[in-house]
Amino acid sequence: MKRSKTSKQWMREHVNDPFVLRAQKEGYRSRAAYKLLEVNERDHLLKPGAVVVDLGATPGGWSQVAAAKGCKVIALDLLPLQPLRGVDFIQGDFREDDVLAQLGEMLDGRPVGLVISDMAPNISGIGMSDQARAMHLAELALEFAVLHLKPGGAFLVKVFQGAGFESYIRLMRSHFGKVVTRKPKASRDRS
């Protein structure tokens, strides 16, 4: 199948992206690693020994950073994840009860210090639908965080500003004492 003009443009932009090139040079799985590194430098979320649950983990950039900071990482994604030292992985759909049960077994009662979520739906190109599906995943991640975080735990989630963003922020404020938004330098301009 022939690639679309948009697909070719994205690929050209991706392979020339300075954060993609830097990630390849420095051995990170993805450019997303720099987003977490920057947020952590500012907010000190990654604490050695803390249990971190990474939702939407593949290709593993966030898990890789968390493990390198000494966290005990449990990662989950629909897609396979190449093994990473210090990361336990569950392949499955976060929306399914049996996958959540596996995650609960892996946690084995350990308190979760940080939930990170970079989940995103497969993009259809229909903006309103894609935004609604992305917000639904963010809401599920928030629900998981509220249920599993220890007192004083933190939740980091990637969301796109658009329909539902402001109400999501209000919902987060009803559960957390401090809610801030960040746009790391490694985020693309259109994100």
Side-chain angles (χ1 to χ4, degrees):
M1 181 154 95
K2 191 175 175 185
R3 286 185 189 231
S4 70
K5 187 176 182 180
T6 306
S7 176
K8 287 179 189 175
Q9 181 182 347
W10 181 89
M11 184 57 77
R12 201 171 29 256
E13 178 184 326
H14 181 74
V15 298
N16 294 313
D17 182 291
F19 286 101
V20 170
L21 297 171
R22 185 174 163 196
Q24 291 168 347
K25 181 180 176 187
E26 295 178 4
Y28 285 113
R29 297 266 174 113
S30 70
R31 69 192 310 282
Y34 298 104
K35 296 176 191 179
L36 183 55
L37 286 166
E38 182 180 335
V39 169
N40 187 60
E41 188 174 309
R42 187 167 183 176
D43 297 303
H44 311 287
L45 300 175
L46 299 170
K47 296 175 178 33
V51 175
V52 174
V53 175
D54 184 358
L55 305 172
T58 300
W62 283 16
S63 288
Q64 186 179 23
V65 168
K69 296 286 185 184
C71 299
K72 298 175 185 335
V73 181
I74 300 172
L76 189 144
D77 202 292
L78 276 171
L79 301 173
L81 178 73
Q82 291 297 315
L84 273 167
R85 179 176 294 170
V87 177
D88 293 317
F89 178 67
I90 300 168
Q91 184 175 352
D93 189 334
F94 176 72
R95 298 168 295 184
E96 294 180 5
D97 291 338
D98 62 323
V99 174
L100 288 174
Q102 286 180 53
L103 184 54
E105 288 173 23
M106 209 172 266
L107 285 171
D108 193 30
R110 292 180 292 173
V112 177
L114 176 64
V115 174
I116 53 180
S117 176
D118 198 10
M119 287 192 291
N122 290 329
I123 301 300
S124 68
I126 302 168
M128 190 180 327
S129 174
D130 292 338
Q131 177 68 11
R133 290 172 39 236
M135 291 308 298
H136 177 66
L137 290 174
E139 288 166 358
L140 292 174
L142 174 59
E143 183 179 304
F144 176 85
V146 167
L147 289 173
H148 294 278
L149 280 173
K150 67 181 184 178
F155 175 51
L156 174 65
V157 59
K158 176 184 77 178
V159 293
F160 297 108
Q161 290 184 332
F165 176 78
E166 291 300 327
S167 60
Y168 185 74
I169 295 296
R170 282 192 300 277
L171 181 59
M172 287 186 69
R173 287 191 172 120
S174 73
H175 293 289
F176 294 95
K178 179 181 176 184
V179 175
V180 297
T181 58
R182 303 272 187 248
K183 183 168 173 65
K185 292 176 187 143
S187 295
R188 291 194 167 106
D189 290 340
R190 65 182 173 274
S191 291

